[in-house]
Amino acid sequence: GVLFRNYDRCVNDCAWTARLGSQFSIAAHGPLGFAALSAPTLGEALEVMGTLYASRSTAMTVRTYATDTHYRLQLEDATGLPDFARWMTEAILKIIETLLATVLGHPVGKNVLISFMHSPPVGSERLIAAYDAAVIFDAPENTIAVPLAWRQLPSPLHDESVYRANVIRCREL
């Protein structure tokens, strides 16, 4: 948290968190990233992130769930540090957006919704512009939501043996 706080203090741009997230390929997340990339469908890629995220970090709890219209990945702070939680949420949701774009083969577009519980920061237009998805603030949850039908989209990167091996490794971790 101290590193993020110092960086935030030195930068006059609230979009640094999304830029940070965009610099991490999903593969940079080890077995979790490889499991998500090699999952059979877009929905299963999100499910891997939701159920096995603790193999990467315990700063957030993550879960996935479906509504009538969307499939959502929700982040909740586990640190009790509001600023750190906000910065991590903004970075992680950019990482997840990048995963989705990789599976789709193109930017996610405004059919995907990123919701933040926090209020818009000063200069929020730069933060909004850093995402390809539609962005809202003051939401009841921190989520990224895709249209429910997208859950079944097959991943062109699916590799069953890579997928299974990395899911097993995440569970071991």
Side-chain angles (χ1 to χ4, degrees), residues 112-129:
V112 173
L113 177 64
I114 292 176
S115 302
F116 296 115
M117 292 175 68
H118 59 272
S119 296
V122 173
S124 62
E125 65 282 348
R126 289 182 291 212
L127 183 60
I128 293 167

Side-chain angles (χ1 to χ4, degrees), residues 58-62 74-86 88-89 117 142:
T58 57
M60 294 276 175
T61 58
V62 182
Q74 176 192 13
L75 299 172
E76 287 187 40
D77 175 47
T79 67
L81 304 168
D83 288 340
F84 180 71
R86 185 184 82 236
M88 284 292 292
T89 298
M117 292 175 68
N142 294 311

Side-chain angles (χ1 to χ4, degrees), residues 3-40:
L3 178 65
F4 278 16
R5 185 171 312 287
N6 288 341
Y7 192 81
D8 187 66
R9 192 178 19 212
C10 294
V11 178
N12 190 23
D13 180 4
C14 66
W16 70 265
T17 51
R19 283 195 311 277
L20 176 66
S22 70
Q23 292 176 16
F24 288 97
S25 75
I26 197 69
H29 299 284
L32 179 65
F34 286 116
L37 280 175
S38 61

